[in-house]
């Protein structure tokens, strides 16, 4: 997966999508409806270029199952991506690293629904908003009644061109006391000092900006 998608891999069962399409030849599991416990973690890989409407449904009903999501996409035309995660598996967890590069109009919506106690969903989303792009980012955590000891964390961060437009909409619908339930959103822009430092290292203005973009997108904590 590293050579093909530049995605870090580890011993896992895989579910792979490219350009919004399921890739059975690269997958050891044929569905994101996870109904049984696997000995290995499950790694869902979603990469490529998208446009129009795209949906990814992840339903975890097996207990004690670890699931990792690596999502790295970009668009040249208007695109909508909806991710719906339903965790009903007690002591199961999903941890996701999401990287979005918007070159047009992009609507991104993620809903994480806890319907069982002792479930975990952590999602870290990074957006690279390029020139004149319009981005609408929404994330909703739903914790159903009697679902105690749940852990929910949905974060957004963006590196934006000065001409880009962005809208962040976080939401929480909590009907039980969670262990944690966090939301955050932040926006970064390269400073003149950072650009100047890279220019003094021999890079052109555009090369320096490209380095900042790559650093921002790839600065993820380890699984």
């Amino acid at each position: 997966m590293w050579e093909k998608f530049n995605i870090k891999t580890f011993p896992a069962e895989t579910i792979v999508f490219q350009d919004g399409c399921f890739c059975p030849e690269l997958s050891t599991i044929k569905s994101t409806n996870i109904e049984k416990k696997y000995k290995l973690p499950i790694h869902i890989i979603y990469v490529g270029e998208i446009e129009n409407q795209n949906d990814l449904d992840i339903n975890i009903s097996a207990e004690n199952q670890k699931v990792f999501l690596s999502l790295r996409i970009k668009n040249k035309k208007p695109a909508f991506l909806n991710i719906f995660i339903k965790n009903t598996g007690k002591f199961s967890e999903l941890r996701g690293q999401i990287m979005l590069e918007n070159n047009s109009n992009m609507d991104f919506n993620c809903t994480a629904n806890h319907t069982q106690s002792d479930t975990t969903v952590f999602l870290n989303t990074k957006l690279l908003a390029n020139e004149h792009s319009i981005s609408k980012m929404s994330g909703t955590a739903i914790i159903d009644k009697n679902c105690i000891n749940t852990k929910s964390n949905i974060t957004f961060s963006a590196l934006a061109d000065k001409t880009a437009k962005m809208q962040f909409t976080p939401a929480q619908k909590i009907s039980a006391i969670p262990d944690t339930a966090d939301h955050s959103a932040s926006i970064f822009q390269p400073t003149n000092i950072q650009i100047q430092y890279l220019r003094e290292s021999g890079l052109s203005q555009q090369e320096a900006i490209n380095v900042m973009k790559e650093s921002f997108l790839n600065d993820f904590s380890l699984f």
Side-chain angles (χ1 to χ4, degrees):
M1 298 299 174
W2 178 262
E3 291 80 7
K4 188 173 181 61
F5 301 129
N6 194 27
I7 295 290
K8 292 181 180 180
T9 54
F10 45 85
E13 303 288 349
T14 55
I15 306 172
V16 181
F17 295 82
Q18 185 173 15
D19 300 329
C21 299
F22 176 62
C23 300
E25 71 280 6
L26 299 174
S27 305
T28 62
I29 301 176
K30 306 308 179 185
S31 173
T32 54
N33 188 19
I34 302 164
E35 298 177 326
K36 73 173 186 176
K37 172 73 170 65
Y38 291 85
K39 292 182 180 180
L40 294 174
I42 295 171
H43 194 185
I44 302 172
I45 299 172
Y46 195 105
V47 294
E49 186 174 313
I50 64 169
E51 61 181 71
N52 301 321
Q53 175 85 24
N54 300 267
D55 298 305
L56 177 61
D57 292 329
I58 303 172
N59 187 358
I60 307 169
S61 56
E63 295 187 359
N64 294 289
Q65 181 64 57
K66 288 187 176 181
V67 180
F68 298 101
L69 171 65
S70 296
L71 191 148
R72 185 186 299 234
I73 62 168
K74 61 183 177 180
N75 69 317
K76 294 180 181 177
K77 297 180 179 180
F80 178 85
L81 176 61
N82 181 68
I83 301 177
F84 184 77
I85 300 164
K86 186 176 182 181
N87 194 346
T88 66
K90 196 169 186 178
F91 301 114
S92 289
E93 63 178 65
L94 182 143
R95 296 175 183 266
Q97 296 181 346
I98 299 170
M99 290 183 283
L100 311 171
E101 182 176 354
N102 185 13
N103 297 289
S104 178
N105 291 7
M106 180 182 289
D107 284 21
F108 173 78
N109 175 66
C110 182
T111 301
N113 190 5
H114 301 258
T115 63
Q116 177 62 271
S117 300
D118 300 285
T119 53
T120 298
V121 178
F122 288 163
L123 295 171
N124 185 2
T125 300
K126 288 196 171 185
L127 167 69
L128 181 59
N130 288 326
E131 293 181 357
H132 304 293
S133 62
I134 300 174
S135 307
K136 295 181 180 180
M137 306 282 112
S138 64
T140 303
I142 303 173
I143 300 176
D144 289 352
K145 187 177 180 181
N146 299 322
C147 293
I148 61 172
N149 301 324
T150 55
K151 297 179 181 179
S152 175
N153 192 339
I154 300 176
T155 65
F156 290 102
S157 56
L159 179 63
D161 183 83
K162 293 182 179 180
T163 63
K165 296 181 180 179
M166 295 177 296
Q167 176 181 315
F168 295 98
T169 308
Q172 293 180 326
K173 300 178 182 179
I174 300 176
S175 301
I177 298 175
D179 187 6
T180 61
D182 299 322
H183 263 302
S184 66
S186 55
I187 299 175
F188 301 93
Q189 284 187 335
T191 66
N192 291 332
I193 294 176
Q194 291 170 325
I195 298 297
Q196 182 180 351
Y197 175 82
L198 293 172
R199 291 292 307 276
E200 290 175 352
S201 299
L203 300 180
S204 68
Q205 179 80 8
Q206 188 57 52
E207 287 173 336
I209 292 174
N210 290 340
V211 167
M212 295 295 296
K213 289 180 179 180
E214 286 297 318
S215 299
F216 170 77
L217 287 176
N218 291 296
D219 183 24
F220 272 114
S221 61
L222 296 176
F223 284 124

